[in-house]
Amino acid sequence: MLRCLIVDDEPLALHILEDYISKVPFMELVKSTTNPIEALTMVQDGNIDLVFLDVQMPELTGIQFLRIANGKTKVILTTAYPQYALEGYELDVVDYLLKPIAFDRFFKAAQKAQTIIHPSKATASADHLVQQTHQPPNDFMSDFIFVKSEHKIQKVYLHQILFIEGLKDYISIFTSTERIITLQNMKKMEDTLPSQHFVRVHKSYIVALNKIDSIERSRIRIGDKIIPVGDTYRDDFFKIIDGKNV
């Protein structure tokens, strides 16, 4: 088991990671805290294998935490700010997760950490990853992301997403019940969503494969919406569709 510690000044972020760790059989949550000083004391006592560490915290930044810890534990950085990635890797972090964090991306980072910390368990982890990749529909139905919309952070269930439309620096997430606008870019959202369920079909569109009603030439129909398939994405998209033909 990997003994894990979560350090983040946002209670919502703690809750999400607590839930994710509970789903991973080879992980054990020792503690989650908003206090980096308390967390650093636990690390220095030598009882923690892996820390999920936020970068921007008021008392002690994640980068400062890493320097003080001085390699006494392995660390996965969790942050909404990609500019710290290079500095994090220079300090030998295991991985760098950008918020909002999807479970499949979290699991890949967890498997990577186990391979580094307990190399003899790598084969078992690989087998479990295959099982995760082929999760039954009920697992996908319960998975979700959090997005910032207006003055709140909103939970969005993946199975409710119909498609996503890019709007310069913003994106619109169209679900079965509402439209959610959030300050985000398409590339980050594409990387966050599980690729077995969502595919980029245009520079401005990501679609949920199981919500596609029909395809005619290079146009996708989802409900009343017609979505174009861009030239750059056409070959990859139709390879996926061909793989599902009967």
Side-chain angles (χ1 to χ4, degrees):
M1 298 289 285
L2 295 182
R3 295 166 297 178
C4 299
L5 172 64
I6 307 170
V7 191
D8 200 304
D9 62 340
E10 295 182 6
L12 178 59
L14 292 178
H15 177 73
I16 294 170
L17 292 175
E18 288 168 0
D19 179 60
Y20 284 179
I21 287 174
S22 72
K23 295 178 180 179
V24 179
F26 55 82
M27 283 185 158
E28 173 189 3
L29 179 61
V30 177
K31 189 175 182 63
S32 61
T33 180
T34 59
N35 186 339
I37 306 301
E38 177 189 23
L40 191 57
T41 300
M42 295 180 65
V43 167
Q44 291 173 332
D45 288 341
N47 296 320
I48 303 298
D49 297 316
L50 180 64
V51 179
F52 290 90
L53 178 65
D54 188 24
V55 173
Q56 289 198 333
M57 294 180 289
E59 295 177 338
L60 190 71
T61 71
I63 301 301
Q64 291 169 333
F65 185 105
L66 278 167
R67 292 198 173 105
I68 296 170
N70 196 28
K72 288 190 176 181
T73 186
K74 294 299 182 183
V75 173
I76 293 175
L77 290 178
T78 61
T79 180
Y81 302 95
Q83 63 264 34
Y84 297 104
L86 179 59
E87 191 170 5
Y89 282 119
E90 287 175 348
L91 291 168
D92 198 30
V93 298
V94 172
D95 209 337
Y96 192 98
L97 299 178
L98 285 175
K99 300 174 182 179
I101 303 167
F103 178 74
D104 64 328
R105 180 66 183 89
F106 172 89
F107 188 85
K108 289 178 183 177
Q111 189 201 26
K112 183 178 179 181
Q114 192 196 34
T115 302
I116 292 170
I117 298 167
H118 298 310
S120 63
K121 303 294 184 181
T123 301
S125 293
D127 291 341
H128 188 76
L129 178 60
V130 171
Q131 295 172 8
Q132 290 285 339
T133 305
H134 295 86
Q135 289 176 349
N138 285 342
D139 289 337
F140 172 65
M141 295 289 280
S142 63
D143 208 356
F144 56 87
I145 58 174
F146 283 97
V147 298
K148 294 180 181 178
S149 179
E150 296 179 344
H151 302 296
K152 62 183 178 181
I153 297 176
Q154 186 163 346
K155 184 178 186 178
V156 182
Y157 282 99
L158 298 189
H159 74 273
Q160 292 183 334
I161 298 176
L162 304 176
F163 62 92
I164 296 167
E165 182 179 7
L167 304 166
K168 292 187 178 179
D169 295 330
Y170 292 81
I171 61 172
S172 286
I173 302 173
F174 290 82
T175 75
S176 51
T177 58
E178 62 183 324
R179 176 188 180 187
I180 302 164
I181 299 176
T182 181
L183 180 62
Q184 186 60 270
N185 64 69
M186 289 290 282
K187 181 63 170 65
K188 183 176 176 182
M189 182 57 67
E190 181 184 7
D191 292 342
T192 299
L193 295 169
S195 59
Q196 66 268 38
H197 298 295
F198 296 90
V199 60
R200 183 89 171 260
V201 298
H202 187 276
K203 66 179 182 179
S204 299
Y205 289 99
I206 297 170
V207 301
L209 289 171
N210 67 338
K211 296 299 193 299
I212 294 176
D213 294 316
S214 63
I215 304 166
E216 183 179 353
R217 298 195 179 101
S218 292
R219 297 186 301 171
I220 298 167
R221 179 181 291 276
I222 298 179
D224 295 330
K225 178 71 174 180
I226 301 296
I227 296 171
V229 179
D231 292 341
T232 304
Y233 305 91
R234 181 178 290 111
D235 289 347
D236 288 341
F237 172 67
F238 280 105
K239 282 178 184 177
I240 294 170
I241 297 302
D242 288 343
K244 295 183 178 294
N245 281 346
V246 294

